[in-house]
Amino acid sequence: MAEFTLPKNSVLIKGKIFKAPEGATNIRRFEVYRWDPESGENPRIDAFELDMDSCGPMVLDAILKIKNEVDSTLTFRRSCREGVCGSCAMTINGKNSLACTKAIDSYSGTIKIYPLPHLQVVKDLVPDLNHFYAQYASIKPWIETQTPAPADSERLQSKEDREKLDGLYDCVLCACCSTSCPSYWWNSERYLGPAILLQAYRWLVDSRDESTGERLDELEDPFKLYRCHTIMNCTDTCPKGLNPAKAIAETKKLLVQRKLG
């Protein structure tokens, strides 16, 4: 049997414990991944006991309370607090999600918070998304046309064509789906992953775009598209309720239909 061990400097160690204020009665425990590349120390898990009577209802509220009142060195991304920007994507109790959309009361016991998996960590809960965004740029996420734009109007589409974009344009590029995908874990240098492939399909089915053939040519690759094995982690974990697996399957169908003429 194969055995895998982490490098010594990657092994998690026990971190600090921050007790709740004296007199607090409504207490929840949060265990948070911490790593500072400048310290030279191993990553650790710090435990924070928070008084929920003075904390907002969402997991992001708890993280903000930790940073504002307990340990100001905690590092994470956040912006809109409405599930729109995708900034606060992280792993909460083993599942990727947006911290601003997950209620603390939806979890029982200790809440464990880690950065998105299988990405390099910049610091604490901040993953390195440079490669992810480079893959996004590679699909040319904009309308490409050859015909001149109408002189007196926008490029219009029917209501039916517009409806084809539902469930696609809603993606906030949080990377929850891609980082939950085993195929992306092992082949992320060449496999585009669920989030980017969903975005690619969004432009394939946009009736205003005139580069469908070229887009399909770019995707017809053993790794870019066909590393998807329909594991469905992407659809299960998407915090927006989207279905990247279906978008990938529809893209494969377009390639087959093109071959069959």
Side-chain angles (χ1 to χ4, degrees), residues 35 39 68 92 101 104 114 143 153 170 173 197 204 225 238 245:
W35 182 65
S39 71
N68 293 336
I92 306 169
T101 66
I104 294 170
Y114 289 76
I143 291 175
S153 70
D170 321 53
L173 291 170
L197 289 172
L204 285 170
L225 173 66
C238 177

Side-chain angles (χ1 to χ4, degrees), residues 1 15 52 69 76 83 100 137 169 185 187 218 236 258:
M1 180 185 296
M52 301 313 298
E69 301 177 15
F76 56 94
C100 67
Y169 78 89
W185 297 346
N187 301 283
E218 284 295 317
D236 177 64
R258 185 172 72 161

Side-chain angles (χ1 to χ4, degrees), residues 32-204:
V32 183
Y33 178 97
R34 307 297 306 277
W35 182 65
D36 182 355
E38 295 181 359
S39 71
E41 299 176 353
N42 278 30
R44 67 181 193 272
I45 303 297
D46 284 353
F48 300 87
E49 295 180 355
L50 301 184
D51 179 3
M52 301 313 298
D53 289 335
S54 60
C55 182
M58 314 307 284
V59 172
L60 182 59
D61 290 315
I63 297 171
L64 287 167
K65 184 177 179 66
I66 291 170
K67 184 172 182 67
N68 293 336
E69 301 177 15
V70 184
D71 185 352
S72 63
T73 66
L74 178 62
T75 304
F76 56 94
R77 292 189 179 108
R78 59 96 178 177
S79 184
C80 73
R81 297 181 61 136
E82 297 290 342
V84 175
C85 70
S87 298
C88 63
M90 53 192 71
T91 303
I92 306 169
N93 276 13
K95 188 171 184 178
N96 297 350
S97 192
L98 299 176
C100 67
T101 66
K102 302 303 291 185
I104 294 170
D105 287 345
S106 66
Y107 301 98
S108 59
T110 299
I111 295 179
K112 300 181 179 181
I113 304 171
Y114 289 76
L116 291 176
H118 291 268
L119 295 174
Q120 294 292 322
V121 175
V122 178
K123 185 180 179 184
D124 293 343
L125 301 176
V126 178
D128 186 345
L129 293 172
N130 282 329
H131 179 62
F132 177 79
Y133 290 132
Q135 289 180 314
Y136 179 53
S138 76
I139 65 164
K140 300 180 180 179
W142 52 78
I143 291 175
E144 293 209 318
T145 62
Q146 284 77 48
T147 58
D152 55 355
S153 70
E154 300 176 350
R155 295 182 185 271
L156 304 179
Q157 58 185 166
S158 67
K159 290 183 178 180
E160 292 75 19
D161 284 337
R162 166 59 187 80
E163 288 175 358
K164 293 177 182 178
L165 305 182
D166 289 343
L168 302 173
Y169 78 89
D170 321 53
C171 173
V172 296
L173 291 170
C174 64
C176 282
C177 63
S178 291
T179 54
S180 72
C181 173
S183 291
Y184 192 73
W185 297 346
W186 311 130
N187 301 283
S188 59
E189 291 303 314
R190 298 175 65 184
Y191 174 48
L192 292 178
I196 307 308
L197 289 172
L198 180 141
Q199 290 285 340
Y201 181 66
R202 175 254 180 275
W203 297 105
L204 285 170

